[in-house]
Amino acid sequence: MTSTSNLQITNDSKLKLAIQKSGRLHDDSMKLLKECGIDVNNNANKLKADASNFPLELFFLRDDDIPQYVEDGVADIGFVGENVVYEKEKELIIVEKLGFGKCRLSIAVGRSEAYTDSSFLEGKKIATSYPVIVQNYLNKHAIKAEIHEISGSVEIAPGIGLAHAICDLVSSGSTLFMNGLKEVETILQSEAVLVKSNKLNQEQEKLLNKLVFRIQSVKKAKNNKYVLLNAPNKNLEEIIKLLPGMKSPTVLPLANEGWSSVHSVINESDFWDIIEQLQALGAQGILVVPIEKMII
Ligand code: PRT
Ligand code: ZN
């Protein structure tokens, strides 16, 4: 029996987490666990692994199989793409977006096609590995089209005369471009999510809350930066207004008279905008430091 700070672990008070065995989500899934302070001895050839300092057991599976395993309760929770969750239509609950594996599921047609709107698809053949999501999209838009399900290399279907359009995952767009296709509709924005089964016991729900709390702290830290700068006292008030921080910024006098040191936290998305305004107000020696964890 292992023990963590305040938990006695039995089989029922352990969480079984399914992650992708290999592929685009594997490394980011393992990295996230590490950032959450969870140590796993990962041997890529194994089906299972235990965390040494958290009551967590890992299952390494194909991404497409994760929803089924979680619905069946073989795994209690999983890290998987939203695209797979919506395609499989299993009984799962999405608990938290994980901030990696970002992509979109899009419809694409030949570059020379005169596409104006989704009515183009009426009576056409669409090749995809996502027949459920595509059918739902067609139903929503009252379009009748034939779905041709294929499991890989969807992008070559129009070129070989198998379909008029495709629906596939896109991230940079270079696969579509290289195959003479253009993206015309985005059906779904997707990223990796944490899913849970609806059969967790109370102990497991508690553990899941602990894990989610850690994930949220890691995500917040990634979206924020710690800023230190020297501010001329004459503009201090305006500089402080730009840097609300978590409560309010820390302001310390500098040995150099007329100047203060200001420490605060700013959001990644406002970053450049704020830095430019700070410079305009005479801020100097601006240091920007990544934050490892952020607990508010
Ligand atoms: O073996 P297993 O079944 O587990 O893996 P897999 O081969 O089915 O999946 P994998 O590893 O390719 O992808 C796992 C998950 O990563 C997907 O379910 C998505 O949630 C996510 N993801 C993010 C992507 C992409 N980005 C992506 N670009 N999955 C696939 N692609 C492919 C896409 O299908 C197309 O072939 O990349 C190509 C397009 O990329 P761009 O950059 O050229 O646009
Ligand atoms: Zn797969």
Side-chain angles (χ1 to χ4, degrees), residues 233 254-259:
N233 285 348
L254 282 189
N256 196 340
E257 211 171 304
W259 286 81

Side-chain angles (χ1 to χ4, degrees), residues 67-79:
Q68 181 74 61
Y69 277 92
V70 175
E71 185 189 73
D72 292 346
V74 176
D76 306 306
I77 56 174
F79 290 172

Side-chain angles (χ1 to χ4, degrees), residues 20 62-65 84:
Q20 195 186 23
R62 287 201 57 189
D63 66 343
D64 318 71
D65 296 335
V84 174

Side-chain angles (χ1 to χ4, degrees), residues 144-186:
K144 287 205 166 51
E146 189 185 330
I147 296 175
H148 191 85
E149 184 179 352
I150 44 179
S151 58
S153 303
V154 175
E155 64 281 355
I156 64 168
I160 59 171
L162 194 67
H164 304 102
I166 67 160
C167 183
D168 199 11
L169 297 174
V170 182
S171 42
S172 68
S174 65
T175 304
L176 294 183
F177 183 80
M178 283 188 308
N179 286 279
L181 301 172
K182 62 178 175 188
E183 191 176 353
V184 290
E185 303 284 348
T186 299

Side-chain angles (χ1 to χ4, degrees), residues 126 166 203 229:
I126 308 169
I166 67 160
E203 280 303 307
L229 56 87

Side-chain angles (χ1 to χ4, degrees), residues 38-105:
I38 296 174
D39 296 329
V40 181
N41 292 325
N42 180 28
N43 176 343
N45 296 320
K46 280 199 318 199
L47 179 65
K48 290 201 287 183
D50 277 308
S52 56
N53 56 355
F54 196 90
L56 190 76
E57 187 176 11
L58 260 75
F59 285 73
F60 301 109
L61 301 168
R62 287 201 57 189
D63 66 343
D64 318 71
D65 296 335
I66 291 175
Q68 181 74 61
Y69 277 92
V70 175
E71 185 189 73
D72 292 346
V74 176
D76 306 306
I77 56 174
F79 290 172
V80 66
E82 283 174 288
N83 51 304
V84 174
V85 174
Y86 293 126
E87 180 62 26
K88 299 297 176 187
E89 294 189 314
K90 300 293 175 197
E91 278 194 31
L92 309 170
I93 301 158
I94 295 184
V95 180
E96 184 74 28
K97 293 195 185 232
L98 299 177
F100 60 84
K102 288 188 180 171
C103 57
R104 51 197 190 271
L105 185 64

